[in-house]
């Protein structure tokens, strides 16, 4: 699948839209995808992270995309993670960039 299809694709957790893919993190040594940067919906940013603003970006851990946990559909990427578990797969952009 072309990487262009991932950019600006909607991401759903149990059929609820949680955000849009804005960037794809790649490990330059072995070319593996490490994470997806998502712009979260306002509802998810507030209910999961407590942020009360629009445009919050977080990194979605690649573990949320492992076989059996994610599937590509016509609407976008659907991950099988509950809203209650979502915080375990999200990290602020700065935490990922400054490792």
């Amino acid at each position: 699948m072309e990487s262009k299809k991932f950019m600006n694709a909607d991401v759903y957790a149990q059929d609820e839209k949680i955000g849009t893919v804005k960037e794809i993190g790649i490990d330059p040594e072995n070319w593996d995808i490490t994470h997806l940067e998502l712009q979260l919906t306002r509802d998810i940013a507030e209910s999961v992270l407590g942020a009360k603003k629009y445009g919050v970006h977080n990194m979605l851990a690649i573990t949320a995309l492992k076989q059996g946990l994610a599937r590509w559909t016509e609407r976008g990427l659907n991950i099988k993670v509950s809203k209650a578990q979502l915080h375990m797969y999200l990290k602020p952009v700065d935490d990922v960039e400054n490792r």
Side-chain angles (χ1 to χ4, degrees):
M1 182 177 300
E2 295 177 28
S3 63
K4 289 180 187 179
K5 291 183 181 179
F6 283 115
M7 300 306 292
N8 295 309
D10 291 333
V11 180
Y12 297 85
Q14 294 186 330
D15 294 323
E16 180 180 351
K17 183 178 175 182
I18 62 169
T20 304
V21 176
K22 292 300 176 186
E23 287 191 31
I24 300 171
I26 298 176
D27 179 349
E29 290 185 25
N30 56 17
W31 291 94
D32 286 337
I33 295 175
T34 58
H35 56 271
L36 299 178
E37 182 177 332
L38 302 182
Q39 180 175 337
L40 301 176
T41 65
R42 183 178 297 202
D43 177 55
I44 293 297
E46 185 172 348
S47 65
V48 175
L49 304 176
K52 296 192 184 285
K53 61 182 182 175
Y54 177 73
V56 173
H57 285 230
N58 261 231
M59 297 294 182
L60 179 66
I62 198 67
T63 53
L65 306 177
K66 293 198 179 213
Q67 185 176 10
L69 291 180
R71 63 186 163 89
W72 189 256
T73 67
E74 290 178 2
R75 295 187 320 169
L77 182 63
N78 193 2
I79 59 174
K80 292 183 181 178
V81 174
S82 71
K83 193 172 175 180
Q85 295 174 321
L86 193 55
H87 70 280
M88 295 186 302
Y89 295 94
L90 294 172
K91 292 185 180 178
V93 174
D94 291 337
D95 286 354
V96 176
E97 291 174 351
N98 295 324
R99 310 189 247 172

